[in-house]
């Protein structure tokens, strides 16, 4: 088996899929990339059993077809040191000895039998098919992923929930302290005649893989899913992953519907003020106090243990009785950093109930709502 390809193009593809590989694998074969040559197409696979990423590229001067598993770390470390140049791969089919030849040298590897590599899970015949644009999926994942939890007792919280209706797609993530709901319209969905909605939970690791890959892609994504697995088909990559099993909490039930206070504020002004003031907050609680009063917002924090405090006042659009509410500053900074609108709306009803943070202007074909639980103030 022989082929020639570009060193930098190969490195780019392998780096994208290598993030799937765990530092410690239960099966030694998973420390490898699977190379599968058919004609002039080389397909490369990386997997950790739960998640599999596949990509392919065209090669030149190919001879023979076959599969071989190649040590991922050794190959990546070698490729990183090459400038752009053609590399020639020669693999002995009988003993899987691999020789990479460059303009100035040769590098010898020993491959493993490609047939030992785990097979991809197959979706059943009742799999649903969702089509939407790459930009929509990329925006939805990047704006929800930061809200996912790391909770061993409630694994359903450790992923992004896809709630799909005939006209719309809602993506939700929550860790019980903060929640984000992203709504958009998909291109199409196949579902049963009696079904009003279908759903699945995408785990955090494959969601992170997609977040890294999607900005390089364009066009549409085909998402196929059954009761156990989800299959994402892009123009240059294919990802198959196992879903998180379980029932996702009723996210609409925790979103307050009637909020008597509505404050409009410049996003960067409050974000930068929070970053400065929160330096002076108690390190354990990270509490900042927001005090709204007649078109002014006073942001304050203190750490009694170290006798330090800070406060800033910025302008906002607010009418009504004064109100004070406390938030964990790191969560609020994270939420404001994941909104792109120049101005945001903060809706609250009282200091003990969840606050809503919304963009004043949504992007085309999307609607974002973020929720943050307050912290109790002592005064």
């Amino acid at each position: 088996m022989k082929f020639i390809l570009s060193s930098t193009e190969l490195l780019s593809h392998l780096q994208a899929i290598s993030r799937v590989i765990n530092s410690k694998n239960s099966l030694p074969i998973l420390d490898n990339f699977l190379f599968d040559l058919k004609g002039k197409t080389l397909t490369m696979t990386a997997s950790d059993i739960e998640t599999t990423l596949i990509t392919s590229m065209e090669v030149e001067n190919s001879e023979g077809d076959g599969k071989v598993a190649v040590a991922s770390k050794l190959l990546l470390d070698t490729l990183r040191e090459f400038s752009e140049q053609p590399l020639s791969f020669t693999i002995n089919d009988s003993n899987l000895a691999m020789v990479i030849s460059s303009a100035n040298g040769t590098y010898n590897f020993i491959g493993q039998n490609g047939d030992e590599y785990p097979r991809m899970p197959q979706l059943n015949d009742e799999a649903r098919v969702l089509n939407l644009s790459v930009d929509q999926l990329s925006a939805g994942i990047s704006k929800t992923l930061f809200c996912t939890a790391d909770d061993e007792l409630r694994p359903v919280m450790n992923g992004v929930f896809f709630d799909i209706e005939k006209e719309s797609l809602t993506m939700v993530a929550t860790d019980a302290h903060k929640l984000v709901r992203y709504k958009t319209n998909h291109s199409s969905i196949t579902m049963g005649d009696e079904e009003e909605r279908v759903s699945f939970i995408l785990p955090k690791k494959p969601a992170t893989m997609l977040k890294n890959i999607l900005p390089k892609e364009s066009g549409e994504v085909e998402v196929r899913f059954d009761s156990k697995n989800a299959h994402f088909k892009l123009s240059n990559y294919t990802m198959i992953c196992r879903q998180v099993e379980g029932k996702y909490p009723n996210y609409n039930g925790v979103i307050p519907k009637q909020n008597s206070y509505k404050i409009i504020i410049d996003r960067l002004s409050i974000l930068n003020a929070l970053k400065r003031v929160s330096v002076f907050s108690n390190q354990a609680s990270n509490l900042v106090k927001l005090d709204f009063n007649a078109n002014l917002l006073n942001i304050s924090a203190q750490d009694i243990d170290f006798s330090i405090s800070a406060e800033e006042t910025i302008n906002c659009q607010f009418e009504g009785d004064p109100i004070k509410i406390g938030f964990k500053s790191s969560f609020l900074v994270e939420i404001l950093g994941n909104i792109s609108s120049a101005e945001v709306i903060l809706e609250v009803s009282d200091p003990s109930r969840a606050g809503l943070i919304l963009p004043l202007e949504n992007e085309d074909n999307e609607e974002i709502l973020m929720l943050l639980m307050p912290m109790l103030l002592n005064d």
Side-chain angles (χ1 to χ4, degrees):
M1 188 163 62
K2 291 183 181 178
F3 53 90
I4 297 172
L5 40 64
S6 153
S7 60
T8 51
E9 192 182 350
L10 177 61
L11 178 61
S12 170
H13 280 76
L14 292 181
Q15 281 179 322
I17 65 172
S18 67
R19 294 186 178 97
V20 174
I21 299 172
N22 291 330
S23 54
K24 291 182 179 178
N25 285 301
S26 52
L27 298 173
I29 192 79
L30 295 175
D31 294 330
N32 296 262
F33 294 119
L34 177 65
F35 279 20
D36 188 354
L37 182 66
K38 286 180 182 167
K40 292 202 166 210
T41 303
L42 176 66
T43 303
M44 295 151 279
T45 303
S47 178
D48 68 352
I49 296 288
E50 299 276 320
T51 306
T52 302
L53 253 178
I54 302 163
T55 184
S56 59
M57 60 186 286
E58 296 298 303
V59 298
E60 297 173 16
N61 300 357
S62 62
E63 292 179 22
D65 292 352
K67 287 181 186 177
V68 63
V70 192
S72 58
K73 187 177 185 307
L74 189 60
L75 184 56
L76 284 172
D77 289 348
T78 308
L79 290 170
R80 284 191 190 102
E81 306 308 322
F82 282 116
S83 56
E84 162 57 36
Q85 60 182 285
L87 295 178
S88 173
F89 283 69
T90 306
I91 296 137
N92 184 318
D93 293 332
S94 59
N95 62 6
L96 300 177
M98 174 187 280
V99 180
I100 301 177
S101 306
S102 69
N104 301 316
T106 57
Y107 311 87
N108 297 283
F109 295 69
I110 289 291
Q112 293 186 50
N113 185 348
D115 291 330
E116 293 177 13
Y117 208 82
R119 296 185 182 278
M120 283 191 326
Q122 297 299 311
L123 274 67
N124 64 37
D125 296 337
E126 295 174 6
R128 308 281 176 259
V129 182
L130 168 70
N131 289 290
L132 72 161
S133 75
V134 162
D135 293 340
Q136 286 172 293
L137 185 61
S138 180
I141 287 178
S142 60
K143 288 174 180 175
T144 54
L145 186 59
F146 78 96
C147 260
T148 53
D150 289 303
D151 190 336
E152 292 180 2
L153 299 176
R154 292 180 293 179
V156 293
M157 311 279 264
N158 304 341
V160 178
F161 181 57
F162 282 64
D163 190 3
I164 309 153
E165 297 179 78
K166 291 187 176 174
E167 299 296 328
S168 66
L169 163 66
T170 304
M171 296 167 69
V172 183
T174 182
D175 62 2
H177 301 288
K178 54 189 185 293
L179 175 146
V180 57
R181 184 186 72 189
Y182 173 93
K183 279 187 176 181
T184 187
N185 294 324
H186 51 69
S187 305
S188 65
I189 175 71
T190 61
M191 58 170 76
D193 296 335
E194 301 298 314
E195 290 178 319
E196 290 295 320
R197 65 201 319 160
V198 287
S199 62
F200 67 93
I201 305 170
L202 177 67
K204 183 182 282 193
K205 183 175 178 178
T208 306
M209 303 292 153
L210 284 172
K211 183 184 175 184
N212 293 325
I213 289 169
L214 286 166
K216 306 171 192 171
E217 295 284 303
S218 60
E220 286 235 324
V221 187
E222 182 190 84
V223 186
R224 294 172 60 237
F225 59 97
D226 55 19
S227 58
K228 290 186 178 176
N229 298 294
H231 182 289
F232 293 79
K233 187 167 177 53
L234 310 167
S235 53
N236 294 310
Y237 296 91
T238 299
M239 188 182 80
I240 303 100
C241 67
R242 187 168 294 167
Q243 301 165 19
V244 180
E245 293 182 22
K247 184 173 172 57
Y248 204 75
N250 175 15
Y251 60 89
N252 282 316
V254 300
I255 298 171
K257 303 294 186 286
Q258 301 295 325
N259 296 302
S260 46
Y261 294 92
K262 184 175 178 180
I263 304 112
I264 299 174
I265 195 159
D266 182 78
R267 184 181 69 86
L268 286 178
S269 297
I270 184 173
L271 180 58
N272 292 328
L274 279 166
K275 286 178 179 176
R276 290 187 290 268
V277 172
S278 65
V279 174
F280 294 81
S281 65
N282 180 286
Q283 290 189 338
S285 68
N286 227 222
L287 170 68
V288 291
K289 183 168 73 176
L290 307 185
D291 188 347
F292 298 96
N293 194 346
N295 287 334
L296 289 175
L297 163 60
N298 181 270
I299 304 171
S300 59
Q302 64 175 356
D303 189 343
I304 296 169
D305 297 340
F306 291 94
S307 301
I308 57 173
S309 64
E311 65 174 284
E312 278 196 38
T313 302
I314 57 177
N315 293 318
C316 64
Q317 294 179 43
F318 169 69
E319 293 175 1
D321 298 330
I323 182 173
K324 296 177 184 177
I325 189 166
F327 288 116
K328 190 177 178 76
S329 62
S330 55
F331 288 168
L332 190 52
V333 164
E334 211 172 11
I335 282 175
L336 291 166
N338 279 280
I339 294 176
S340 51
S341 170
E343 293 182 298
V344 293
I345 303 167
L346 177 61
E347 293 186 7
V348 290
S349 55
D350 70 60
S352 63
R353 299 194 66 196
L356 299 183
I357 301 102
L358 314 159
L360 184 63
E361 294 179 351
N362 279 294
E363 302 277 337
D364 288 345
N365 193 16
E366 70 175 40
E367 181 190 321
I368 297 172
L369 175 147
M370 302 205 183
L371 174 149
L372 182 58
M373 297 303 292
M375 298 179 73
L376 293 178
L377 298 171
N378 293 327
D379 53 12

